[in-house]
Amino acid sequence: MTLLKSKLKEIFSKAKQQQREVVFLCIGSDRYIGDSLGPLIGSMMLENGISRPVHGTLEEPVHAFNLKLALKDIHKKNENPILISIDASLGTKEQVGDVLFKEGPLVPGKALKKMLPEVGDYHFQGIVNYLDPFPSSQFLNDTRLHTVMKLAKLITQIIIDSDKEE
């Protein structure tokens, strides 16, 4: 996690030098436990006083139906932002509970075969469940709240710690 915090601090520092705003886009819906990771993190970041713009909370989630509108809003309010997107993801059984952080865009809804725009200059993925032979919609319903909360707290803490130390 120390490596991840230093990477985020580096991104924050680079953004400051380039006079660009770092914006967080937390994707998901509070209607499915497995898809609530993004909105949970968005709400937790705001509760912890993050100094950067956050889009996507439990109160106002950003999901498949309003993602394009949210992106328009972000780019209208922030000239050339550095966008860090956050979403729940499916992986292997061994990956459940892992946090991935990558440079480049996130493809939301990919596991459920949804056609949504790629988002983010960087992205976090929290592996909330694994692919199983059940119908795809079951993955989100069968995800444990404990796993989602644990990932949400971990990712939020990494971001908040990096933001405070910047």
Side-chain angles (χ1 to χ4, degrees), residues 89-154:
S89 186
L90 300 173
T92 64
K93 202 172 194 173
E94 297 76 34
Q95 289 177 306
V96 174
D98 287 355
V99 173
L100 307 177
F101 182 77
K102 297 180 182 175
E103 187 168 353
L106 172 75
V107 185
K110 186 178 178 183
L112 300 178
K113 313 245 185 295
K114 291 185 180 179
M115 297 300 293
L116 297 170
E118 294 183 352
V119 291
D121 297 293
Y122 300 90
H123 67 273
F124 279 97
Q125 289 174 282
I127 311 296
V128 297
N129 211 340
Y130 59 94
L131 294 166
D132 209 348
F134 293 113
S136 1
S137 64
Q138 280 305 108
F139 300 128
L140 299 176
N141 292 328
D142 292 342
T143 299
R144 295 194 59 217
L145 179 58
H146 174 76
T147 303
V148 175
M149 289 300 293
K150 194 171 164 185
L151 282 165
K153 288 176 183 175
L154 178 62

Side-chain angles (χ1 to χ4, degrees), residues 1 10 24 37 46 49 70-71 74 85 99 117 121 129:
M1 293 306 131
E10 184 183 308
F24 288 93
L37 181 68
L46 291 178
L71 287 170
I74 288 168
S85 53
V99 173
D121 297 293
N129 211 340

Side-chain angles (χ1 to χ4, degrees), residues 39-50 149 152-153 156 160:
L40 263 172
I41 292 171
S43 292
M44 289 176 168
M45 284 195 294
L46 291 178
E47 287 167 8
N48 282 282
I50 186 136
M149 289 300 293
K153 288 176 183 175
T156 300
I160 294 298

